[in-house]
Amino acid sequence: MSNIIKKYFDKIRPNFEEGGKLQSLHSVFEGMETFLLIPNSTASNGVSIHDSIDSKRIMSMVVIALIPALLFGMYNIGYQNYLAAGVEGSFIEMFAYGFLQLLPKIVVSYLVGLGIEFIFAQVKHEEIQEGYLVTGLMMPLILPINCPLWMMAIAIAFSVILVKELFGGTGMNIFNVALAARAFLFFSYPTKMSGDAVWIANNQIFGLGNTLPDTYTQATPLGVVGGGSDITTSLQDMVVGLIPGSVGETSVIAIAIGAVILLWTGIASWKTMLSVFVGGALTAWAFSVLDMTPITWYEHLFLGGFCFGAVFMATDPVTSARTETGKYIYGFLIGFFAILIRVLNPGYPEGMMLAILLMNIFAALIDYFVVDHNISMRAKRTIKK
Amino acid sequence: MSKMFSKDNREAFFNALNFNNPIAAQVLGICSALAVTSQLKPAIVMSFCVTCIVALSNVIISLIRKTIPNRIRIIIQLVVVAALVTIVSILLKAVAYDVSVQLSVYVGLIITNCILMGRLEAFAMMNGPWSSFLDGIGNGLGYAAFLISVGFVRELFGSGCLFGVKIIPDCVYSWGYVDNGMMTMPAMALIILGCLIALHRYLNKNKDI
């Protein structure tokens, strides 16, 4: 199979080289080739030890880790719609409905983001960078299902251009690109990003699903808590994920499968991930001891975007702290700030996005102090002897 | 007449408008550019006030520049600017009260606008009154160009209006269009300003700014 692909690429290659008739699509060709095959170019001098994993392979693993959350998200879209309408639906119907709701978002997300990446790569005469593969799939997963497509497209364009390409492209961005796009939407169009009317898909597609009245509202459990009422969600629903929320964030189990994949392949740092949970748990526990939050500490971890943020966003190798000690501090503070914003800010029922973006700014500073501290410790040790 | 618009004087005026623009090239006066540009009307009034004050204070300082002792020049410049700002602020309250309320402290804060002190120190202290006047007008208009561009974008996309009149038709809203709330926040003004400065540098990339 790979031989056939390789032959095909070799055959069409001349078209894309300097002077060929499709030269303007050169970067697209190269991107596709290296995505499907092992790159031809290797180190030509010196001794280099290579792992067979490159950043395209890393990105593919993260995409695989996202798939459980994606599939469960699709099912939950359908489940919530049928539940809201009070109609019985089979598993297949619910899943197909969710699939049809989510598919346009994934397609638009990739078209806009990759389109911009292709243009930038072509203008800068560089290879296409692969970072958008993950961002493009994360985007639909961290938005409410009723967020309009054009809004998502604007946010992705804003984020890819201003947050990523201006800083130098993949690997150079200070902020997590997907979260920056979400923050843009959150502040630009608050009525479509939070509140209680955006979490349940409300229209029929190809005869599947149910049309809900415009006045139908259903808050997320955290929204209910933020509004000052008690939640009625059972612990089982929280863990399985059959609750309203952003598409991919609801199921703790699906995210846990993704976490296992990321940790097993060594892509995500267990130190960051663990310390986010520790920071969040301790803060939530302290608040519940002080009687400032009506839900228990473990409910705080199960609800909202806490798990998704901790597993997929906080561990982003580009924007998180890089020193080993720094990872503990970085993760702990994310958990701390996420719960702090949830409990103390009445305007924002969820704080995970803002906490991660805040710590993205400080990641480099944390690294600086960790390195600096290490240097001064070693200097002292030498002087003592 | 030919002397009034000599090459130096023309440069004093047009340089300030374009590649020595106070906002894009010198990056001065950013604070007020973020604060008053959420709508066009206050942006225009603010630009007008700043243009008047820069031009007049440039002329006054330039006239008395030879009598100012070097060690206390900043204080004398401040007194002149403060007097002018007070006059403009009182006039504004008399003529356009609602705009002066919208601009609130930012009229008074023109005193601290870096463009003023920058022009007085860099130009009026060393040049004659007529070229200082042209320099002041040029800098004021250069400032105005950026304020008005930012105000235009922010008001159009932030509230769908220009000068408070609805521009984006109702049918667009019924298709699902929503005004961008972030445009009304200063954060977005900073991003728009950054984009405009980038554009300005791109257009002047052959010149050494």
Side-chain angles (χ1 to χ4, degrees):
Chain A
M1 182 65 190
S2 74
N3 228 351
I4 301 169
I5 297 173
K6 191 165 170 12
K7 270 188 189 147
Y8 179 70
F9 272 104
D10 285 341
K11 200 180 103 193
I12 64 171
R13 185 189 316 278
N15 290 331
F16 295 94
E17 278 168 356
E18 199 85 16
K21 57 186 171 185
L22 293 172
Q23 193 204 330
S24 60
L25 291 172
H26 174 75
S27 48
V28 180
F29 171 78
E30 197 172 61
M32 280 300 157
E33 188 191 15
T34 48
F35 180 69
L36 292 169
L37 301 166
I38 297 163
N40 280 332
S41 50
T42 48
S44 54
N45 57 357
V47 179
S48 335
I49 299 171
H50 279 278
D51 195 341
S52 61
I53 195 159
D54 67 350
S55 53
K56 280 197 178 75
R57 253 34 75 176
I58 290 181
M59 298 297 170
S60 317
M61 286 317 292
V62 181
V63 168
I64 291 170
L66 277 167
I67 282 175
L70 176 76
L71 294 179
F72 186 85
M74 287 174 177
Y75 168 64
N76 192 36
I77 293 167
Y79 177 84
Q80 295 296 338
N81 176 276
Y82 280 88
L83 185 72
V87 177
E88 288 282 317
S90 69
F91 175 82
I92 301 291
E93 274 175 328
M94 289 177 187
F95 184 82
Y97 175 71
F99 176 77
L100 290 174
Q101 282 279 0
L102 203 57
L103 189 66
K105 303 212 158 186
I106 299 172
V107 171
V108 168
S109 164
Y110 274 120
L111 277 183
V112 175
L114 287 179
I116 294 170
E117 294 256 356
F118 283 163
I119 292 168
F120 266 86
Q122 195 68 42
V123 170
K124 287 161 80 181
H125 300 291
E126 283 175 0
E127 282 181 43
I128 290 172
Q129 294 165 329
E130 44 281 90
Y132 196 75
L133 282 179
V134 171
T135 314
L137 192 58
M138 271 185 189
M139 251 345 273
L141 291 184
I142 57 176
L143 295 180
I145 185 64
N146 282 355
C147 180
L149 284 176
W150 68 268
M151 280 183 191
M152 192 180 78
I154 289 179
I156 290 172
F158 169 89
S159 193
V160 171
I161 293 173
L162 285 176
V163 178
K164 188 162 152 197
E165 292 300 341
L166 282 194
F167 285 91
T170 301
M172 305 291 208
N173 45 311
I174 298 175
F175 298 106
N176 185 309
V177 180
L179 273 185
R182 192 184 198 279
F184 175 84
L185 286 172
F186 183 77
F187 289 112
S188 294
Y189 307 107
T191 52
K192 295 285 176 191
M193 282 299 290
S194 53
D196 48 15
V198 295
W199 307 105
I200 312 286
N202 55 7
N203 52 341
Q204 275 192 324
I205 299 180
F206 298 130
L208 282 168
N210 309 283
T211 307
L212 302 175
D214 284 345
T215 49
Y216 182 82
T217 58
Q218 169 75 56
T220 62
L222 276 179
V224 174
V225 173
S229 323
D230 286 334
I231 49 168
T232 51
T233 319
S234 70
L235 192 62
Q236 190 198 345
D237 279 354
M238 286 180 202
V239 176
V240 176
L242 295 171
I243 51 175
S246 296
V247 175
E249 71 172 17
T250 56
S251 170
V252 179
I253 294 173
I255 295 167
I257 299 171
V260 169
I261 296 175
L262 287 182
L263 292 177
W264 179 57
T265 51
I267 290 165
S269 156
W270 64 268
K271 292 174 184 168
T272 317
M273 216 184 275
L274 179 74
S275 50
V276 175
F277 282 107
V278 171
L282 283 179
T283 316
W285 176 78
F287 276 123
S288 62
V289 167
L290 293 170
D291 210 16
M292 291 170 76
T293 173
I295 51 179
T296 57
W297 63 270
Y298 52 85
E299 284 171 329
H300 262 298
L301 301 192
F302 293 159
L303 288 176
F306 197 95
C307 287
F308 194 88
V311 171
F312 294 108
M313 300 293 189
T315 57
D316 173 3
V318 176
T319 55
S320 73
R322 314 227 171 152
T323 50
E324 297 305 310
T325 323
K327 283 175 185 168
Y328 289 117
I329 303 169
Y330 171 84
F332 187 88
L333 286 175
I334 287 178
F336 171 73
F337 279 118
I339 304 295
L340 195 75
I341 294 168
R342 273 186 194 176
V343 176
L344 293 186
N345 189 334
Y348 302 151
E350 172 60 305
M352 199 58 187
M353 169 186 78
L354 297 170
I356 297 175
L357 286 175
L358 180 72
M359 290 318 293
N360 281 171
I361 307 176
F362 288 105
L365 189 72
I366 294 171
D367 282 345
Y368 174 82
F369 280 114
V370 169
V371 172
D372 206 46
H373 180 250
N374 203 13
I375 291 172
S376 64
M377 288 291 278
R378 294 183 71 161
K380 267 185 210 156
R381 203 164 57 205
T382 328
I383 292 164
K384 238 183 246 167
K385 280 176 188 170
Chain B
M1 195 66 194
S2 64
K3 206 183 158 200
M4 281 185 87
F5 294 102
S6 66
K7 190 166 171 289
D8 285 353
N9 284 352
R10 268 183 289 141
E11 259 181 19
F13 181 76
F14 287 110
N15 273 3
L17 271 184
N18 192 9
F19 69 81
N20 199 19
N21 187 292
I23 288 197
Q26 304 171 38
V27 199
L28 299 177
I30 299 297
C31 170
S32 56
L34 305 187
V36 300
T37 51
S38 66
Q39 285 163 2
L40 259 181
K41 200 168 153 196
I44 288 174
V45 173
M46 182 74 180
S47 317
F48 180 71
C49 295
V50 170
T51 310
C52 291
I53 293 171
V54 182
L56 286 176
S57 62
N58 258 4
V59 171
I60 293 171
I61 291 294
S62 158
L63 282 172
I64 60 171
R65 70 183 188 279
K66 286 175 184 148
T67 60
I68 299 175
N70 200 30
R71 292 176 64 183
I72 57 164
R73 63 182 198 284
I74 301 273
I75 276 218
I76 291 176
Q77 288 163 6
L78 269 181
V79 170
V80 171
V81 175
L84 286 168
V85 168
T86 313
I87 294 169
V88 166
S89 158
I90 292 169
L91 278 178
L92 201 63
K93 274 188 189 129
V95 180
Y97 184 72
D98 56 328
V99 181
S100 87
V101 170
Q102 250 181 322
L103 288 173
S104 67
V105 294
Y106 290 98
V107 178
L109 284 177
I110 294 176
I111 301 172
T112 59
N113 194 320
C114 309
I115 297 174
L116 283 148
M117 296 305 284
R119 290 338 286 168
L120 293 177
E121 273 287 295
F123 200 89
M125 288 298 285
M126 284 165 254
N127 288 285
W130 172 244
S131 47
S132 297
F133 176 74
L134 285 180
D135 178 78
I137 294 280
N139 274 287
L141 291 180
Y143 174 77
F146 273 80
L147 243 66
I148 292 168
S149 324
V150 175
F152 176 81
V153 175
R154 284 182 73 187
E155 189 171 3
L156 183 62
F157 293 107
S159 45
C161 306
L162 288 176
F163 296 107
V165 180
K166 252 319 182 220
I167 292 291
I168 296 178
D170 281 337
C171 64
V172 178
Y173 287 99
S174 64
W175 294 334
Y177 178 77
V178 183
D179 285 325
N180 189 323
M182 202 158 144
M183 283 284 178
T184 56
M185 299 179 193
M188 203 62 185
L190 189 68
I191 292 171
I192 297 169
L193 203 58
C195 295
L196 287 176
I197 292 177
L199 180 70
H200 179 263
R201 301 246 158 138
Y202 177 75
L203 294 176
N204 290 307
K205 65 181 169 189
N206 299 325
K207 296 173 189 129
D208 190 25
I209 294 177

